[in-house]
Amino acid sequence: MPINIPCNLPAFETLSNENVFVMSDKDALRQDIRPLEVAIVNLMPTKIQTETQLLRLLSNTPLQVNVTFIRTATHISKNASTEHLVMFYTTFEDIKEKYYDALFITGAPVELLPFEQVTYWEELCKIMHWSKSHAFSTIHICWGAQAGLYYHYGIDKKELPRKLFGVFPQKVHVKNHPLFKGFDDVFNVPHSRYTENCIEDIKKHPALTLLVSSELSGAHIIADKTGRQVFVTGHVEYDRETLKGEYLRDVEKKLDTPLPYNYFPDDDPTKEPINSWFGHGSLMYSNWLNFCVYQKTPFKIEEIKPLTI
């Protein structure tokens, strides 16, 4: 089903060429339904790439999806043009009175910094506080997941001895959870990070449930007891070439980055990587929108009941 985005957003042409059902805002106005309102707080420096990856995952839903991209006002991206940000992004101050069915908070390349030293931390805290009353369901991704667990539940991240990098098998622990309808018991997910949230810290918190984890890559998906706050440490949104690009970049910088685990055939970086995760990733986000958002959000979106955390 269609995602409603401006026809001049770079992702529009890319997704159209992939036969992903995107709809221009002009065509969407002809349909008399209430679309899902989804906001994306995009903290990644690669704004356009992240936009395309997340919109691709949002394409399999029964209704129109209106997407609002939010940037930080306290930090200006060096990798996205001012023209792109002005044309397609808004700030928290401009939307803080609005309500959303769903919210994304992406990762960011700041995980080795203490949270309080991140330039936009205070602004992000305001957004996370606002999300409890103005977004029905929020998914936090990678560093965004670590930031959410720290802000909401006081669970700090811990530095790993070496970058966790590759595609790792994950095991579902709560098989009847709506996020995993149609899932296999084990599925693959890319991870790329220098820090982690310890499984022991998550399990002992009474408000949280560990839904998915891996013996190799640790905690992957955590949710609060209401199911409205979800924390995802991996990257099912990644393209086939994303880890390859990160690996080649790190090699060029002479960083001590391992070859991505379970990614290149025969561990040969000259061979095309195998995408073994996108099917489950697409299904998970479809389940999230269909079962955790669409069927539970009030029709009058402003009647969302605030979360008490």
Side-chain angles (χ1 to χ4, degrees), residues 90-111:
T90 187
T91 63
F92 172 62
E93 287 299 315
D94 292 330
I95 56 88
K96 65 182 182 181
E97 302 302 326
K98 297 183 179 180
Y99 292 82
Y100 292 88
D101 298 283
L103 172 69
F104 281 92
I105 299 177
T106 75
V110 293
E111 59 182 298

Side-chain angles (χ1 to χ4, degrees), residues 33-85:
I33 58 175
R34 182 176 90 69
L36 291 177
E37 297 292 337
V38 177
I40 298 176
V41 181
N42 190 356
L43 305 174
M44 290 294 288
T46 52
K47 293 279 189 287
I48 293 175
Q49 181 185 42
T50 302
E51 293 159 12
T52 304
Q53 291 174 346
L54 292 178
L55 291 174
R56 185 181 291 117
L57 287 174
L58 291 174
S59 65
N60 190 22
T61 179
L63 293 174
Q64 288 184 31
V65 177
N66 288 338
V67 178
T68 300
F69 289 107
I70 301 171
R71 63 174 176 85
T72 55
T74 47
H75 176 79
I76 304 300
S77 175
K78 299 178 181 178
N79 297 282
S81 69
T82 301
E83 180 182 7
H84 183 83
L85 295 176

Side-chain angles (χ1 to χ4, degrees), residues 3 28 39 98 118 127 163 187 193 197 214 257 270:
I3 294 177
K98 297 183 179 180
V118 175
I127 293 172
K163 185 176 185 178
F187 61 99
R193 50 190 165 83
N197 293 111
S214 166
T257 298
T270 66

Side-chain angles (χ1 to χ4, degrees), residues 254-271:
K254 302 187 185 305
L255 300 177
D256 180 28
T257 298
L259 194 71
Y261 175 82
N262 193 30
Y263 179 60
F264 292 115
D266 304 318
D267 284 338
D268 184 349
T270 66
K271 295 183 178 180

Side-chain angles (χ1 to χ4, degrees), residues 3-7 12 22-29 64:
I3 294 177
N4 174 18
I5 56 178
C7 59
F12 190 98
V22 290
M23 176 181 288
S24 70
D25 41 12
K26 292 180 181 178
D27 290 337
L29 290 174
Q64 288 184 31

Side-chain angles (χ1 to χ4, degrees), residues 202-223:
I202 295 164
K203 284 185 173 181
K204 69 183 181 183
H205 200 293
L208 297 173
T209 301
L210 180 66
L211 301 178
V212 178
S213 69
S214 166
E215 293 182 1
L216 298 176
S217 58
H220 172 46
I221 302 178
I222 307 104

